[in-house]
Amino acid sequence: MENQWSLGLHLIFVTTILAANINPCLGAQNTTVACFEHERLALLKFKHSVIDDYDMLSSWIGNDCCRWDKVTCNGVTGNVESLILRGTLSFSLQEFLLGKEVSISLGDLSHLKYLDLSMNDFQGSQIPKFIGSLKQLTYLNLSNAKFSGIIPHHIGNLSSLTTLDLSSFYEKELVADDMIWISGLKSLEHLHLNVVNLSGAKNLDIVLYMIPSLKEVSLSACGISNADLGPLHNSSTSLSNIKHLDLSYNYFKGELPHFFRNMTSLQFLDL
């Protein structure tokens, strides 16, 4: 009887040790970090500002926005870090189109790092200036979303941005009056401005010599001519780290710009 009792205690001890090794923090594997209430309310305000014909935001119910589709939170802090809304939304509220409603909603997601609003229908509205306040952003994609007007210089505040895509299918609806803001994007690696109207934009040459981190530049069908490159056209100064350069469907004439001579890393060139 004593041996059986000892054996039983031994089995309990071994089982406890095994359980501790498998899950050293008892119950930790079942815990999740819930999103912050002010971020949940911001996302709901955004949801109520759009027309969602395909129910892309149908999962946006309940108290934990970290469990919603298209939303990703930081696993430690619970802050919303990624919002991928590529596709089928359109925007109806005039307040939203003027940037007021969106400033109250998405502008509250101060920890956002990844924002994709591409392929939606912003009905010709301007890019909201609040975008420049999301200073944690590393990825911003507003391509083919029917934005129009002048690109706000506030985008230059996004010093952590590595990818910026403002390209469009639509003929030159977006316009750049001055590219001086691009100099603020110190971390930028991928820049896509296809079909953005860059004709006559001041400081366009900054794009090709002010951001050493740039690896990919796409400026197809932007209405660029030799004159738009200014002094850079006859200069040997350029960014030697660029691997992909697309200047197709523009209006260059005469000899190739001299700055190509210094682009020793080029792997793709489209003229």
Side-chain angles (χ1 to χ4, degrees):
M1 183 71 178
E2 184 177 350
N3 290 337
Q4 291 177 343
W5 176 251
S6 299
L7 180 60
L9 287 176
H10 180 72
L11 288 173
I12 292 172
F13 177 76
V14 171
T15 302
T16 303
I17 293 297
L18 289 174
N21 287 333
I22 294 172
N23 187 11
C25 299
L26 188 59
Q29 65 182 14
N30 294 321
T31 62
T32 58
V33 180
C35 72
F36 288 92
E37 179 65 7
H38 74 279
E39 293 188 333
R40 185 183 75 88
L41 293 176
L43 290 173
L44 288 178
K45 187 175 288 292
F46 173 83
K47 176 183 179 180
H48 296 149
S49 300
V50 305
I51 300 171
D52 185 14
D53 290 331
Y54 297 93
D55 292 329
M56 189 166 73
L57 307 181
S58 60
S59 70
W60 287 24
I61 56 176
N63 294 324
D64 188 1
C65 62
C66 293
R67 296 180 178 272
W68 297 352
D69 290 342
K70 317 293 183 181
V71 179
T72 302
C73 296
N74 183 293
V76 176
T77 66
N79 292 114
V80 175
E81 286 192 335
S82 175
L83 198 56
I84 303 176
L85 297 173
R86 181 182 181 88
T88 57
L89 300 175
S90 58
F91 299 82
S92 59
L93 293 183
Q94 187 64 20
E95 291 84 358
F96 185 88
L97 297 179
L98 292 173
K100 297 177 181 178
E101 189 73 13
V102 77
S103 296
I104 297 172
S105 54
L106 294 187
D108 287 336
L109 304 179
S110 59
H111 296 272
L112 202 61
K113 294 183 177 181
Y114 192 106
L115 178 60
D116 187 345
L117 294 174
S118 62
M119 305 298 293
N120 288 300
D121 183 2
F122 280 85
Q123 301 184 10
S125 63
Q126 288 188 311
I127 295 175
K129 293 182 179 179
F130 88 93
I131 292 289
S133 68
L134 300 176
K135 295 186 179 180
Q136 301 297 318
L137 279 182
T138 61
Y139 180 96
L140 177 61
N141 190 344
L142 304 179
S143 64
N144 303 309
K146 293 189 179 180
F147 283 112
S148 66
I150 296 175
I151 297 173
H153 294 191
H154 298 75
I155 290 180
N157 296 332
L158 306 179
S159 58
S160 297
L161 208 63
T162 61
T163 298
L164 174 62
D165 193 344
L166 303 179
S167 298
S168 177
F169 291 141
Y170 313 102
E171 188 67 23
K172 298 180 179 62
E173 290 186 345
L174 271 178
V175 179
D177 61 342
D178 193 331
M179 292 298 293
I180 191 65
W181 55 269
I182 203 81
S183 62
L185 307 182
K186 304 297 186 181
S187 304
L188 197 65
E189 297 181 5
H190 307 278
L191 176 65
H192 302 274
L193 299 177
N194 298 322
V195 197
V196 173
N197 188 352
L198 300 180
S199 176
K202 298 178 182 178
N203 298 302
L204 181 60
D205 50 344
I206 287 179
V207 176
L208 295 174
Y209 76 86
M210 279 288 288
I211 310 174
S213 56
L214 265 179
K215 298 177 181 178
E216 182 176 3
V217 179
S218 295
L219 304 177
S220 178
C222 292
I224 303 171
S225 67
N226 302 50
D228 293 311
L229 294 177
L232 184 62
H233 185 268
N234 294 316
S235 170
S236 60
T237 302
S238 63
L239 301 178
S240 59
N241 293 323
I242 293 179
K243 297 181 178 180
H244 178 114
L245 180 60
D246 186 353
L247 294 173
S248 59
Y249 297 102
N250 285 297
Y251 301 108
F252 296 115
K253 294 183 179 180
E255 65 178 335
L256 291 176
H258 294 177
F259 63 76
F260 285 120
R261 299 174 183 177
N262 196 40
M263 289 189 164
T264 54
S265 297
L266 269 183
Q267 298 174 1
F268 175 92
L269 175 63
D270 192 346
L271 297 174

